[in-house]
Amino acid sequence: MLILDAALNGVPASNVAAVPTQVDLSLWDLCLRGGWLMIPIALLSLVCIYVFVERAVILYRAGRQDDSFMQRIRAYVHDGDLESAHNLCRKNDSPAARLIEKGLSRIGRPVNDILAAIENTGNIEIANLSRGLPWLATTASGAPMLGFLGTVIGMVEAFYAIASSGNSANIGTFASGIYTALVTTVAGLVVGVIALFAYNFLVARINAVMNMLEQKTMQFMDLLNEPAK
């Protein structure tokens, strides 16, 4: 439009300043501009998603409670039917059931031995539930560091390009190098923040399961101290 107006007014088109056009970048194109460090950040994000989904499902199953479970265990123990109690624990197949089954297998021994066996089993169950969480913790701290590393490398390359260009360097080249370098920082921070929230969520779920296991342990120990009917 400016060129048409200039032609009508007798002004040469070459004297009209060119209007800069804005180029829209897709998310994929922006990620490609981040360089090779985007690859480990992407791999960490995939590991984070897998660990979170897999652990969340397992912790959900481990945290489910059957209100009739302890009542049936109590009835079997009072009736002296330990075999049915064992079968019920195997059928339930949960961390709480495995704790109770370990306690049932120690009936007849001193109470301290029963409690120690249950606690050892509980520690093993919590360790199994916590598998994969170090990956989330590593991602939460490592992904932002990889992003910062990519930004520093990009900045070094941008300043080197400017120094090599000499008087022909322009602000456009410098700005392009800057936003390209910052892509890795954005990606690293996004992945790190997501991993941090996922880690804290799973830790809270594990603590809830631990409290439930302690509650079941106390119920079982109280059951052993109840007088037989």
Side-chain angles (χ1 to χ4, degrees), residues 181-204:
L182 290 176
V183 169
T184 55
T185 296
V186 174
L189 287 175
V190 169
V191 174
V193 169
I194 293 175
L196 179 61
F197 279 101
Y199 176 82
N200 289 332
F201 174 82
L202 294 180
V203 168

Side-chain angles (χ1 to χ4, degrees), residues 31-51:
C31 291
L32 291 179
R33 289 177 176 267
W36 63 270
L37 277 174
M38 293 293 291
I39 297 176
I41 294 176
L43 292 177
L44 286 177
S45 66
L46 294 177
V47 171
C48 174
I49 294 173
Y50 171 78
V51 171

Side-chain angles (χ1 to χ4, degrees), residues 43-229:
L43 292 177
L44 286 177
S45 66
L46 294 177
V47 171
C48 174
I49 294 173
Y50 171 78
V51 171
F52 174 75
V53 173
E54 189 259 349
R55 288 292 99 184
V57 172
I58 290 179
L59 289 172
Y60 171 76
R61 294 174 179 174
R64 290 186 301 180
Q65 299 190 41
D66 184 2
D67 296 334
S68 63
F69 175 74
M70 289 305 300
Q71 297 177 0
R72 297 172 65 183
I73 292 293
R74 178 179 286 103
Y76 288 139
V77 172
H78 285 169
D79 294 340
D81 190 1
L82 297 182
E83 184 63 27
S84 297
H86 280 287
N87 292 333
L88 178 61
C89 292
R90 297 189 188 101
K91 182 179 179 181
N92 192 276
D93 191 24
S94 65
R98 286 188 283 272
L99 259 66
I100 301 303
E101 184 179 9
K102 178 61 69 174
L104 290 172
S105 65
R106 296 296 189 270
I107 288 182
R109 297 187 180 183
V111 175
N112 291 334
D113 292 347
I114 298 176
L115 183 59
I118 293 177
E119 289 178 348
N120 291 335
T121 304
N123 292 333
I124 295 175
E125 292 294 334
I126 295 301
N128 291 333
L129 294 176
S130 301
R131 286 186 302 180
L133 264 66
W135 279 103
L136 289 179
T138 301
T139 302
S141 58
M145 298 302 295
L146 287 175
F148 293 145
L149 176 61
T151 297
V152 172
I153 293 175
M155 294 289 290
V156 171
E157 293 177 349
F159 280 108
Y160 178 78
I162 292 174
S164 301
S165 300
N167 296 331
S168 62
N170 56 70
I171 190 64
T173 304
F174 181 69
S176 177
I178 292 298
Y179 82 76
T180 300
L182 290 176
V183 169
T184 55
T185 296
V186 174
L189 287 175
V190 169
V191 174
V193 169
I194 293 175
L196 179 61
F197 279 101
Y199 176 82
N200 289 332
F201 174 82
L202 294 180
V203 168
R205 295 294 300 173
I206 291 175
N207 290 335
V209 174
M210 289 178 59
N211 293 333
M212 185 266 292
L213 294 180
E214 291 178 356
Q215 180 183 3
K216 297 296 183 183
T217 300
M218 292 299 100
Q219 291 178 359
F220 181 74
M221 298 307 297
D222 291 341
L223 166 62
L224 298 181
N225 292 325
E226 291 180 358
K229 296 182 181 179

